Amino acid sequence: MPEAEKQQSLPRIVSPQEWLAARREFLVREKEFTRARDALNAQRRELPMVAVEKDYVFEGPDGDVGLLDLFEGRRQLIVHHVMFDPSWDEGCSSCRFQIRDLGHLPHLHERGTSLALVSRAPYAKIQRYKERMGWSVPYFSSYGSHFNYDFHATLDESKQPLLINFRTKEEHEEAVGPWDVWGHELPAVSVFLNEGDTIYHTYSSFSRGLDILIFTLNYLDLTPLGRDGG
């Protein structure tokens, strides 16, 4: 962007008194948003859950494991579906950006929650990719499994009827347009609860729903230049 255009997009310059008045006015809206977000989070926790009845198999550093193993003995599990098609040499750049932004996992562990990455690429590719990225977060392959299809992080009509951000193919095309313009792999997060001898699927989110998990973008949202930076 030319420097002149950048300058035009900057906030107007005011006196400290005017700034304080504007900030106080905006604080009212921020507090409304915070209360609305708290209410939404409470409603999310009250969503119903569904039992996971399939025995999914993943490959990791110690060989084949089941979904329960990804919990690492904890009660809750968050799975980040990393876009990594078996034919690709590495995961997608947007997922890579998000994984690099992950926080300190022991903070989740202290609250009985594990986080794992899952991709459809064969584990040999995942291992090389993970080592090159220098990541320590648990990362598993669902290659040959229906896991990504069943949780709609991979779209393939031959494997599972399409559900694109909780819309059928027809609903999506009517509301948004052609479903396949973004490709068949989606950025997604799925959440599971281990209760007794049963694993439950409690929540999933896709694409922009993952925005709030990226701390770099949320920090940039506080700045006058926003996500484009300086």
Side-chain angles (χ1 to χ4, degrees), residues 14-33:
V14 299
S15 69
Q17 293 78 14
E18 289 176 288
W19 181 90
L20 182 58
R23 182 64 187 92
R24 284 176 170 170
E25 181 180 349
F26 186 67
L27 181 60
V28 173
R29 298 186 63 187
E30 282 186 323
K31 287 183 177 294
E32 290 173 350
F33 174 76

Side-chain angles (χ1 to χ4, degrees), residues 58-61 80 82-86 88-91 117-135 137-143 148:
F58 308 87
E59 186 178 358
H80 190 105
V82 177
M83 298 165 63
F84 194 165
D85 183 278
W88 301 351
D89 293 325
E90 61 179 24
L117 313 180
V118 172
S119 293
R120 286 196 309 120
Y123 185 71
K125 284 189 174 184
I126 286 176
Q127 188 176 31
R128 289 194 297 269
Y129 181 52
K130 180 182 175 183
E131 290 174 355
R132 181 162 65 86
M133 293 295 103
W135 294 339
V137 59
Y139 198 166
F140 298 89
S141 169
S142 62
Y143 182 73
N148 258 41

Side-chain angles (χ1 to χ4, degrees), residues 87-225:
S87 65
W88 301 351
D89 293 325
E90 61 179 24
C92 84
S93 58
S94 62
C95 290
R96 182 162 62 244
F97 176 71
Q98 184 152 26
I99 302 312
R100 284 171 168 167
D101 248 21
L102 283 176
H104 188 54
L105 292 189
H107 288 166
L108 287 176
H109 299 166
E110 291 166 2
R111 290 159 178 82
T113 303
S114 293
L115 186 145
L117 313 180
V118 172
S119 293
R120 286 196 309 120
Y123 185 71
K125 284 189 174 184
I126 286 176
Q127 188 176 31
R128 289 194 297 269
Y129 181 52
K130 180 182 175 183
E131 290 174 355
R132 181 162 65 86
M133 293 295 103
W135 294 339
S136 58
V137 59
Y139 198 166
F140 298 89
S141 169
S142 62
Y143 182 73
S145 163
H146 267 248
F147 183 74
N148 258 41
Y149 304 113
D150 289 348
F151 293 95
H152 308 287
T154 300
L155 305 177
D156 185 339
E157 290 183 282
S158 69
K159 303 287 187 181
Q160 185 73 269
L162 297 186
L163 198 63
I164 308 151
N165 200 22
F166 310 109
R167 289 189 179 111
T168 65
K169 175 183 175 182
E170 294 73 23
E171 290 170 338
H172 180 87
E173 291 184 341
E174 181 178 350
V176 180
W179 69 270
D180 55 353
V181 295
W182 302 108
H184 60 281
E185 297 285 334
L186 298 179
V189 161
S190 294
V191 182
F192 302 91
L193 175 70
N194 179 24
E195 184 70 14
D197 296 326
T198 305
I199 297 174
Y200 296 93
H201 174 221
T202 65
Y203 182 76
S204 284
S205 189
F206 304 87
S207 303
R208 284 299 301 275
L210 279 58
D211 216 42
I212 196 171
L213 304 177
I214 306 177
F215 93 91
T216 294
L217 299 184
N218 285 278
Y219 267 97
L220 287 172
D221 283 343
L222 303 179
T223 69
L225 297 180

